[in-house]
Structure formats: structure tokens, C-alpha cells
Amino acid sequence: MKFAYRFSGLLGTVYRRGNLSFTRDGSSLISPVGNRISVFDLKNNKCETFPLATRLNIVCVGLSPDGSLAILIDEEGAALLVSLVGKCVIHHFYFHKPVHSVSFSPDGKKFVITKDNVALMYHAPGKKREFNAFVLDKTYYGPYDETTCIDWTDDSKCFAVGSKDMSTWVFGAERWANLIYYSLGGHKDVIVACFFEENSLDLYTISQDAALCVWQCDTELDGLKPMPPKNAAREKDAAEDDEEFLEEPKGEEIHGKASPSEQETREKVKYSRVAKYFFNKEGDFNNLTCAAYHKETHLLVTGFASGIFHLHELPDFNLIHSLSISDQRIASVSINCTGDWIAFGCSGLGQLLVWEWQSESYVLKQQGHFNSMVSLAYSPDGQYIVTGGEDGKVKVWNTSSSFCFVTFTEHTSGVTAVTFTSNGYVILSASLDGTVRAFDLHRYRNFRTFTSPRPSQFSCLAVDSSGEIVSAGSQDSFEIFIWSMQSGRLLDVLSGHEGPISSLAFNPMKCVLASASWDKTVKLWDMLDSWRTKETFILNSDVLVVAFRPDGKELAVAALNGQITFWDHESAVQTGSIEGRHDLQMGRKELDKITAKQSAKGKSFTTLCYSADGQSILAGGLSKFVCIYNVKEQILMKKFEISCNFSLDAMEEYLDRRKMTEFGSMALIDGGAGDEDGVAIPLPGVKRGDMSYRHFKPEIRVTCLRFSPTGRSWAATTTEGLLIYSLDSGLIFDPFELDIDVTPSNIRKTLHQKEYTMAIVMAFKLNEKKLIQEVIEAVPSDEVDVVCSSLPDLYVEKVLEFLASAFEISCHLEFYLIWAHKLLMLHGQKLKTRSVKLLPVIQFLQKSIQRHFEDVSKLCEWNIYNIKYALAISQQRGMKRLAEEPSEDEEDLDSDSDYLIHMLKGLC
């Protein structure tokens, strides 16, 4: 088995904190998700998470005007310069202090960041390669308190900076004779946003108390005069002498004054406030939290702490629209380049919305689990993933688009386990509310609810391979409940365990149920023998999880002592064990009194999953690592580090001694209600900020692991969300039975001689995907039957695997369908004898064909509808013209149209 799995996607989390940004074309949205960024393609309905990460949660994202570069800045001011084209990190930089905002100039030559009470302007990285991509140009002083927001004029000559000291400062990007700096007041609260009018120095400023000031400038942008050169040569020499002793250029410093003298303001730009407007406020708690302005259409969007947003037209302040989109604070707002779509991010519940204001409809509406994910399951074809969370919601995600397409909210408490039935159209979920619910994926409804005679909290769930028998284990009564899926009746209650039931698993091949409990036993129950206990395995420690191998011949058990043991359940013999306690490699929490090494001694794996071929097993627990073991050799093959986000707890092996004082850790000091870091937990009944908010850092952990039935990916529910790791076959040169004569030129020569079977075998020996594609697509469609029949058995499986992957990217749908059909028809009986080994490949092929089937079905149904509509219109017009009797041409037209519709239905 290959272990070239790499991070390929983050589901379940669509927005955490930071600013949302639309791409240059306005069709995609960039959203910060923890320490990563996700790009939502709104036109093609897809989401992609970049395979790069910062050290802490991202708080600022700045996009270059050409859309090729982005600057990502985390909580401590560490920045990454990222290529959005290559999806890679170009440069690292550290600003030494938390950064509040970042913005590129419209011409792309400069960018400004705000930190503390200063604004720093840097030369923007260009297309040429540079040793230092971030070169400081100027430092602007003026505000007395922290700076909050930035906006540029359209010609990049000036920029405005808002501050918490209720002032707004206008600075010149160059030293203009009539504008170096200008300070604007007029507000009674923190400045949230400031915006220049299009091609003008006129300015709008918005404060947190929902007030808007309109400022008019007496000078146009063209009226800015350049500073006359004064002893330029001397200044240049002095600057060069200074920079010889500095590691990096310090740049020019501009110090602004809030109340300059009369002499300093003579013949300078002047601003006057022409209007002040107030937004409708509903109580003191309804603060204005964010704003965005579209200069071409003069649209102002403002978001409030109550989840309401307003849409106004400036400068007349006409209210166009007002809507409540959430009951949580709107943290970020963004408008795309055309002004049609507005994006909203709510960090409290992890919501991401894109609203089209003209049609008053949602373009995108996504929300993750706002509490931890607990469980996940793949559908049998690998197309969908279902997740259950502590928020009581069950969500179904599409693995190809990474979007959630249905959410079930029937549970009233946390969901502890989810699973699919074998047909893939029914989802089962167990919850602490004492119910097991069955959901239909055709009609999206809860069609069965299973309950116990006495209220019980269900901790685990299993369904047999036929999908007819449902079982759930109880935490409090130590019993296992068995129901019939068809009737919904309780069939039996299995007693015998003396502790809470921790895990259940059905044997995929036999009617045997395995149950694990904290009473240090694993019991096997025979469904065909009136649910009698077939076998009892006694272990040395509390059992946490059990899992059957896909062929049903082996049982893996993880216990509290950190051991994974393997059992032959037929003969009740232990076949092997893995000591996994040291592989977990625990981190130390901020408030831990003991080291990570000591705390790891009491840790264990809490989730297990066999790979699709049964040769390997995945294991994870309260750690940032996921381990993959070889079952036969019982050795660790690879460790995956699922997160490098130090905003989470238990990430560091050693605590930072600088945070330790004689009174204890600095982590014990609570930042109070005004701080946004961590997760805020208000005390019961408290609605206003009275310093009663407590904060904590979520602890990194892996709650559930599952391998895809196709064997090409695996998923993990973690503190950060649902992480998917896919098999990266493109980076590996993996030849198969390679011979010295097998070269690309010899393969093409054989192909030219029309020896198609030999060319295919040679191409698979070299195992280069593009070459295999070239050879297979060169085979004429009428020769496919002959080539398939002469293909050696060893290569049939490899061709099927290639066809499955080719279906995902190729446009030659019919050609590859012919290949798949001929191979399965000619070699079906031989493949059936190796069905267990070939199951992942067949399921991968089925997933690819099913996706195309659904796409083509929708297209054909739409075409049928359009043809029927066109025929109905033409027949109406024909009846008006010839009301007496239909002509022969019309009868022919009817018969042709019926035949056409019949053919299209056949395609569907």
C-alpha cells in the first residue's frame, strides 16, 4: 500500500474569523478557516482549501489587485506571502505585533498594514524574484490609539486610516506639497471603516455607535502638488549611510499632528463635514461591527452585532434593504467587483453567506458545526460524508464540491455516532437525547425514530450489512438495544456488560455483533442464535473502540492502556498487538502541571479504522497526530500531523518559559469580555458584557477516523473541522515490473505498429499516467473488444483503476464507458473470485460513473423539458393556422418528437 496521502480539503468549517475577500473576477470568495484559507468558487459551486497553513489563526487577508498574490497575517503578526496561482508560500515575514488590517494600493505597487497606532507602507512584491519581498517605504504616525481600517484612493496617491481614538487620518502615499497628513474627528466611538469616494478625496467614515460622517475635500486628486526637491542629493547620501548599519531599510517617518498650527495648514488641503447620519439602532447592544463600500454603484453595506445588515445608497443615505441573516454578530462584510454579491461572515456560529441583493436570494449559504464534530461516515460509493456534532446537527457533505447540501436538526442533544446503510440512501444517527434517528436522502426527512423503553443516552451505533438491523449502546444502563429498520420495533435488549458501552461493530460478512465496554471486555453476539453471547474477550484495560476488517476475518480492539490488539474472532485467539502509547506524542496544555511526556503515559487511541484493503489500520486520539500501522508487520508506517495551529491547546511539547511567572502561567489571566480570542462562554442569563465572559483555547483532538470505500482517501473529524487526505499519485514514480526495453519511445513505436495490447502492458509497466492515457485513447473504439479479451488478468485491475481516475477529468465519457463495459463483461467472473481485494477499485469506478450519470441526467431532463415546451408552442401555433384538420407534416413532426423524447429518456 502507498502512503503518499496529502492534505486535500477541509470540510465542516467555512469561516472562523478575519476579513472575507472576493477575487478579482468577483466569482470566487476567499474565507479564512482557522490557520488556512478556503476558496469558494460560486459559479462552479466548488470549494478548495489551500495546502498551506500559518502558525496561528489568520486575522487579516490582503489580495493584490491582479489577484495573483495574497498576504495572510496571523494573530501574532506573522505573515505569509502566498501565490494564489501556484497555491504555495513565497515568503515569510514577521511584523512583531498583532496586525489589524492590510490593503494593497489599486496600482499594486504598495501595500499598507496597521499595527498599534502606526501605519506601515511597504513596497509590494513584484513579478521579479527578490531576496526580500517586504521592503519598508514609510512609517506614518498620528493616531493615539490602535489603528483599525485602511482605504486607498483610486489613483493610489493617498490612503485613509481609522483609529480607536475616534479619529480618521488621511495620509499621502507620496510627500505632496498640499497634503502630507490630515486628521478628521466628528465621531464619539471607535472608527470601524472609512471609504474614499470614486476618483475623489471625499471621504465617508463610520463608527461603532452606528454614525456615518460625510467629508468633502476642497481639492481634487489632480490638484495634489508634488513636493519640490530640496537637498535631495544630501538626503540620499545620509539615508545610504544610515542603512549601512541596519539589517533592513528603516524607511521614511511621517509624524502627524492632531491640531497643527495655522502656518502648517496654510495652502493645504482642507476637509469639511457636510453631513452626519445615524443608522437605526435597537438598543445599546446593537453595535455596528463591519462595513463595505462599492464605489462604482455607491452602495454601502453595514453589519451589526445583532445579525442585521443594512444596504444604503450614498451620498444621500437612502435605505435600499435591511435584513436579519443571523442571531450572531456579523464579523466581516465584502462586496464583489460588480456590486451584485455581498458576502457575510459570522464567527460565532461559523456561518458564511453570499447574498444577491437585487434578486434578494442566497448565492451561498453554508454553516459548519459550531461545536466539535464527534463522528463521521462515508457513503458506500465514497461520494458523500455524513458528520454528527455536539451541536445536535447531522450534516451531509459532497466530497467533490466540499459543500454541505442538507442539515438535519431533529436531535435535541449532542450526536455521538452516525453511519450509512449499505444502499447509501439512509443515514442513521445516535444521540444523547435518547433517540436513534433514520434519515432519508431522497426526501431529506426523518422517517424513523428508535427509542428505548427507559430513557437512555446512546453512545455508539452500528447497522448490519443488509441495513435491516440497527443497534445502539447505552452509556447509563450498560445495555445494547436492537431494532428492526422496516418496522421500527425494538427486537431485543442485550444485557451482560457491567460498564458503559463504548463501541459497536457488525461483522461485514457474518451476522455477528461486537460490543466493547468499560468493563474491560469485548463480547460477540450471534444474531442468528437469538443474540446469545458467542464469545467474550477479556482485556487488561477499559475497551474504547472495536473495528472489523473489511473481509470480517479480524477484529481490532483499542484499550485505555494505549494498546491495539488484534483477534481472530472465530477461534478467540489474539493474533497480535501494537503498543501505540508512545506514538500518540501528546502536547502539553497551558495549565498542565506535568510534562507532555508524563501525561502521554495515560493516553490512548479513541478511534480506529481499517483501510479499504485491510492491510493497514488508522488510529487517532487526544493528539495532533494520526498514526497508520501495518497490521501484518505491526509497525508504524507513518504519522500524519493534522494541525500546526498553535491557537489550539495541547500543541506544544514544552511550555514557553517566558509565560511562566512566580505566580503561575500567564494563561491563567483572562483577557475579559472585550477580547475575541478563544471561545466565549457567557454565564447563564447574562446578555450584556459585564466582564462575565470566560475564554478557553479549544484542545486539539481527533474524534473519528474513516477510510473511503474507494481506498483513495481518508477523513478525520478534528477540532479544526473535517480534514480529508487523498492519495497523491501524481508525485510518485512507481513502475511495475519495469524492463530495460520499456521506454516512452518504444511504447509509441509499438502503438504506431497497432500492437495495442502490448503498448498498454508496456505503458502500465512504466506507470506514467499521461502516457497510459495517450495509449488507451489511441485504441480505436471498434478494437476495444479485441484488446480487452487479450489483456492479461494482472493488468485488468490496473486498467479499471485508471478508468476510474480518468472519468473524473476526461471528456471522453462514451469511450471510457465502452472500455469499462467490455472489461467487466469479459473478465467479470475472474474478478468476482478476487472481489474483496478489488472492492475499493470497483467502488471508485462506481463513484466516478455515478457522478457523471447524475450530471447527464439533469442535462437530459432539462433538454426534454425544453423540447416539450418548444413542441407545445409550435403545436399551438399550428392549430391556430390549421384548425380544420392536421396535415401529414404535423403528424410526422409529432412522431419524430415522440421518438426524440423517448431516445433522451433512454439516455437518462
Side-chain angles (χ1 to χ4, degrees):
M1 179 179 175
K2 305 181 188 73
F3 293 96
Y5 288 95
R6 62 177 176 87
F7 173 81
S8 65
L10 172 64
L11 284 70
T13 307
V14 291
Y15 175 74
R16 278 279 170 83
R17 59 177 296 195
N19 60 302
L20 300 169
S21 305
F22 276 99
T23 53
R24 186 186 178 190
D25 59 359
S27 63
S28 297
L29 179 68
I30 296 177
S31 171
V33 283
N35 65 334
R36 303 178 187 270
I37 55 168
S38 292
V39 180
F40 293 86
D41 187 344
L42 302 174
K43 287 191 175 176
N44 297 318
N45 200 37
K46 284 190 176 181
C47 171
E48 180 185 11
T49 304
F50 281 14
L52 48 91
T54 56
R55 192 172 177 272
L56 297 165
N57 285 336
I58 295 170
V59 292
C60 299
V61 178
L63 294 186
S64 62
D66 62 357
S68 61
L69 296 175
I71 295 175
L72 314 179
I73 306 176
D74 69 16
E75 293 167 345
E76 288 186 353
L80 296 181
L81 178 65
V82 174
S83 167
L84 296 179
V85 180
K87 301 169 190 173
C88 59
V89 177
I90 299 173
H91 186 65
H92 293 259
F93 194 78
Y94 188 41
F95 289 111
H96 300 287
K97 291 283 181 69
V99 174
H100 305 113
S101 56
V102 57
S103 177
F104 276 87
S105 61
D107 61 7
K109 294 180 180 178
K110 305 282 176 70
F111 71 89
V112 172
I113 65 109
T114 59
K115 67 172 185 177
D116 286 343
N117 62 339
V118 299
L120 302 173
M121 185 166 71
Y122 288 83
H123 291 284
K127 293 182 180 177
K128 57 187 180 186
R129 295 180 180 180
E130 295 163 322
F131 176 71
N132 186 6
F134 288 30
V135 179
L136 182 63
D137 184 23
K138 293 182 180 67
T139 304
Y140 296 88
Y141 296 91
Y144 294 107
D145 205 343
E146 291 182 355
T147 45
T148 56
C149 54
I150 310 166
D151 192 54
W152 285 84
T153 55
D154 288 341
D155 59 0
S156 306
K157 288 182 178 179
C158 303
F159 64 91
V161 173
S163 172
K164 287 186 178 180
D165 66 2
M166 301 175 284
S167 66
T168 306
W169 291 74
V170 181
F171 293 109
E174 304 293 337
R175 272 188 173 271
W176 304 109
N178 53 346
L179 177 61
I180 299 174
Y181 61 87
Y182 199 99
S183 175
L184 303 169
H187 285 282
K188 297 179 181 179
D189 208 340
V190 174
I191 304 297
V192 173
C194 54
F195 306 106
F196 281 104
E197 189 53 271
E198 187 180 17
N199 297 318
S200 172
L201 281 170
D202 294 348
L203 191 66
Y204 303 106
T205 57
I206 303 166
S207 61
Q208 192 172 301
D209 61 352
L212 168 70
C213 288
V214 183
W215 303 90
Q216 190 173 12
C217 184
D218 63 353
T219 309
E220 294 295 324
L221 281 170
D222 297 335
L224 293 175
K225 303 170 187 174
M227 184 77 77
K230 184 166 56 176
N231 297 330
R234 193 187 304 168
E235 287 180 7
K236 185 179 179 184
D237 292 340
E240 285 177 357
D241 290 340
D242 289 343
E243 287 176 8
E244 283 180 10
F245 303 100
L246 295 172
E247 290 186 8
E248 60 178 80
K250 191 178 179 182
E252 187 181 353
E253 291 187 0
I254 296 172
H255 294 266
K257 297 177 184 177
S259 52
S261 63
E262 216 173 295
Q263 186 180 352
E264 289 176 324
T265 58
R266 196 176 299 143
E267 296 182 1
K268 296 289 174 73
V269 167
K270 289 185 176 61
Y271 276 91
S272 58
R273 193 177 77 190
V274 294
K276 187 170 184 178
Y277 302 105
F278 293 92
F279 297 86
N280 294 326
K281 273 202 308 181
E282 300 174 3
D284 296 332
F285 186 67
N286 196 10
N287 291 330
L288 191 147
T289 55
C290 53
Y293 181 61
H294 191 258
K295 296 181 181 181
E296 292 175 10
T297 55
H298 307 285
L299 286 176
L300 174 69
V301 186
T302 48
F304 292 83
S306 60
I308 295 172
F309 81 89
H310 294 321
L311 188 61
H312 287 86
E313 185 181 16
L314 296 181
D316 299 326
F317 200 67
N318 298 325
L319 181 64
I320 299 172
H321 199 66
S322 180
L323 185 71
S324 176
I325 57 169
S326 176
D327 57 357
Q328 294 285 324
R329 171 181 178 271
I330 299 176
S332 180
V333 173
S334 182
I335 309 178
N336 74 338
C337 57
T338 60
D340 296 327
W341 293 346
I342 305 167
F344 300 95
C346 302
S347 55
L349 295 176
Q351 290 174 304
L352 184 64
L353 310 167
V354 179
W355 175 262
E356 189 174 58
W357 66 273
Q358 289 173 328
S359 64
E360 298 187 10
S361 60
Y362 285 110
V363 178
L364 173 73
K365 191 177 183 182
Q366 289 285 302
Q367 179 182 343
H369 293 276
F370 59 84
N371 275 349
S372 298
M373 286 187 194
V374 175
S375 181
L376 82 111
Y378 269 98
S379 62
D381 60 1
Q383 272 193 303
Y384 307 121
I385 294 177
V386 59
T387 58
E390 289 178 357
D391 56 1
K393 293 181 180 177
V394 176
K395 289 178 173 286
V396 189
W397 307 83
N398 189 315
T399 54
S400 56
S401 70
S402 299
F403 281 162
C404 171
F405 62 91
V406 63
T407 302
F408 300 108
T409 58
E410 281 79 3
H411 284 295
T412 56
S413 188
V415 176
T416 54
V418 289
T419 186
F420 273 93
T421 57
S422 55
N423 62 9
Y425 296 115
V426 175
I427 292 169
L428 288 154
S429 63
S431 171
L432 296 176
D433 64 3
T435 62
V436 173
R437 295 179 183 269
F439 302 99
D440 180 10
L441 279 187
H442 284 303
R443 297 179 180 84
Y444 300 131
R445 63 189 178 95
N446 175 205
F447 70 94
R448 285 273 188 281
T449 302
F450 308 101
T451 57
S452 56
R454 296 187 308 276
S456 298
Q457 290 188 316
F458 296 122
S459 57
C460 49
L461 175 71
V463 61
D464 76 328
S465 55
S466 67
E468 297 297 323
I469 304 297
V470 180
S471 65
S474 170
Q475 274 188 351
D476 36 20
S477 63
F478 313 157
E479 294 170 327
I480 302 167
F481 299 90
I482 309 292
W483 297 276
S484 165
M485 175 71 83
Q486 288 290 334
S487 63
R489 290 176 53 198
L490 182 67
L491 299 178
D492 209 341
V493 179
L494 309 182
S495 302
H497 281 294
E498 297 172 3
I501 312 298
S502 56
S503 180
L504 293 173
F506 268 103
N507 190 321
M509 300 300 172
K510 294 184 179 179
C511 303
V512 174
L513 173 69
S515 64
S517 172
W518 291 5
D519 63 2
K520 303 181 183 180
T521 64
V522 174
K523 290 182 181 291
L524 298 180
W525 311 83
D526 194 346
M527 188 169 68
L528 301 178
D529 193 14
S530 304
W531 293 105
R532 289 182 184 171
T533 307
K534 185 180 176 185
E535 201 68 61
T536 301
F537 304 145
I538 300 173
L539 288 93
N540 298 326
S541 186
D542 297 4
V543 185
L544 301 179
V545 61
V546 291
F548 274 103
R549 203 166 68 185
D551 62 1
K553 293 180 180 178
E554 188 177 74
L555 181 70
V557 179
L560 194 62
N561 59 3
Q563 274 194 341
I564 303 172
T565 53
F566 300 96
W567 300 79
D568 181 353
H569 64 90
E570 291 289 342
S571 56
V573 175
Q574 182 177 334
T575 57
S577 69
I578 294 171
E579 188 67 48
R581 194 167 47 201
H582 302 294
D583 300 326
L584 267 172
Q585 203 169 331
M586 295 293 299
R588 183 172 178 177
K589 297 184 202 173
E590 286 186 337
L591 304 179
D592 275 353
K593 298 291 189 293
I594 59 174
T595 62
K597 191 174 181 181
Q598 291 296 323
S599 66
K601 291 181 179 178
K603 301 301 177 183
S604 54
F605 292 115
T606 57
T607 176
L608 291 177
C609 177
Y610 275 96
S611 61
D613 57 6
Q615 295 179 10
S616 309
I617 192 164
L618 275 173
L622 296 176
S623 168
K624 63 179 178 179
F625 290 104
V626 170
C627 303
I628 186 163
Y629 294 96
N630 185 295
V631 176
K632 188 177 179 182
E633 303 292 336
Q634 295 171 14
I635 57 171
L636 177 69
M637 300 298 292
K638 188 168 182 180
K639 281 167 74 169
F640 297 93
E641 188 176 4
I642 58 165
S643 177
C644 60
N645 187 359
F646 284 85
S647 294
L648 303 173
D649 206 0
M651 286 292 296
E652 297 183 85
E653 191 173 350
Y654 303 102
L655 289 187
D656 189 349
R657 293 294 174 189
R658 291 173 295 181
K659 294 181 181 177
M660 301 300 290
T661 67
E662 57 182 316
F663 305 107
S665 173
M666 296 282 284
L668 290 166
I669 301 172
D670 194 354
D675 204 1
E676 292 180 7
D677 297 62
V679 182
I681 311 173
L683 291 176
V686 175
K687 293 185 179 178
R688 301 195 179 196
D690 62 349
M691 302 301 287
S692 65
Y693 283 88
R694 297 165 289 151
H695 296 261
F696 75 96
K697 288 171 72 172
E699 183 184 348
I700 184 69
R701 59 175 178 165
V702 179
T703 51
C704 190
L705 291 166
R706 289 292 179 268
F707 243 102
S708 169
T710 63
R712 301 188 64 83
S713 62
W714 57 269
T717 51
T718 70
T719 312
E720 285 201 303
L722 176 61
L723 301 175
I724 297 184
Y725 286 78
S726 299
L727 193 62
D728 184 13
S729 56
L731 299 176
I732 297 177
F733 174 63
D734 186 22
F736 176 73
E737 295 184 353
L738 190 61
D739 196 356
I740 195 167
D741 297 328
V742 178
T743 61
S745 57
N746 283 349
I747 293 170
R748 290 187 178 96
K749 187 178 176 182
T750 309
L751 189 64
H752 186 68
Q753 294 169 356
K754 297 186 178 181
E755 295 179 12
Y756 299 119
T757 307
M758 181 62 70
I760 289 171
V761 170
M762 290 171 72
F764 274 101
K765 282 184 176 181
L766 196 60
N767 208 6
E768 282 192 11
K769 198 169 184 179
K770 288 186 178 178
L771 192 61
I772 295 170
Q773 184 177 347
E774 181 187 332
V775 171
I776 285 186
E777 289 182 359
V779 178
S781 56
D782 54 351
E783 295 278 340
V784 172
D785 199 351
V786 178
V787 173
C788 287
S789 60
S790 60
L791 204 63
D793 293 343
L794 191 61
Y795 291 90
V796 172
E797 179 188 342
K798 293 188 173 294
V799 175
L800 283 173
E801 190 173 352
F802 169 77
L803 292 176
S805 60
F807 268 118
E808 294 187 331
I809 53 172
S810 178
C811 56
H812 305 300
L813 184 58
E814 187 184 1
F815 179 72
Y816 283 118
L817 278 172
I818 293 170
W819 267 97
H821 180 255
K822 296 295 182 186
L823 280 171
L824 292 172
M825 290 298 290
L826 292 167
H827 299 273
Q829 289 298 325
K830 292 178 183 177
L831 293 174
K832 203 170 182 181
T833 58
R834 307 200 308 274
S835 59
V836 175
K837 187 182 176 184
L838 289 174
L839 189 61
V841 176
I842 300 299
Q843 285 178 327
F844 184 33
L845 184 66
Q846 182 191 354
K847 174 188 172 183
S848 303
I849 294 174
Q850 180 69 26
R851 189 169 61 82
H852 280 296
F853 172 74
E854 289 174 0
D855 293 342
V856 173
S857 296
K858 288 175 186 175
L859 184 65
C860 290
E861 284 170 7
W862 177 244
N863 289 340
I864 289 170
Y865 171 78
N866 284 335
I867 290 170
K868 282 184 175 179
Y869 178 76
L871 287 171
I873 295 294
S874 64
Q875 284 173 358
Q876 278 183 350
R877 289 177 180 172
M879 287 172 70
K880 284 180 183 176
R881 270 183 274 161
L882 301 169
E884 290 87 13
E885 64 179 347
S887 66
E888 291 182 6
D889 293 339
E890 283 180 337
E891 289 177 2
D892 292 342
L893 180 66
D894 288 345
S895 60
D896 289 344
S897 62
D898 289 341
Y899 176 72
L900 183 61
I901 290 169
H902 177 71
M903 288 296 291
L904 283 170
K905 280 183 178 175
L907 277 172
C908 291

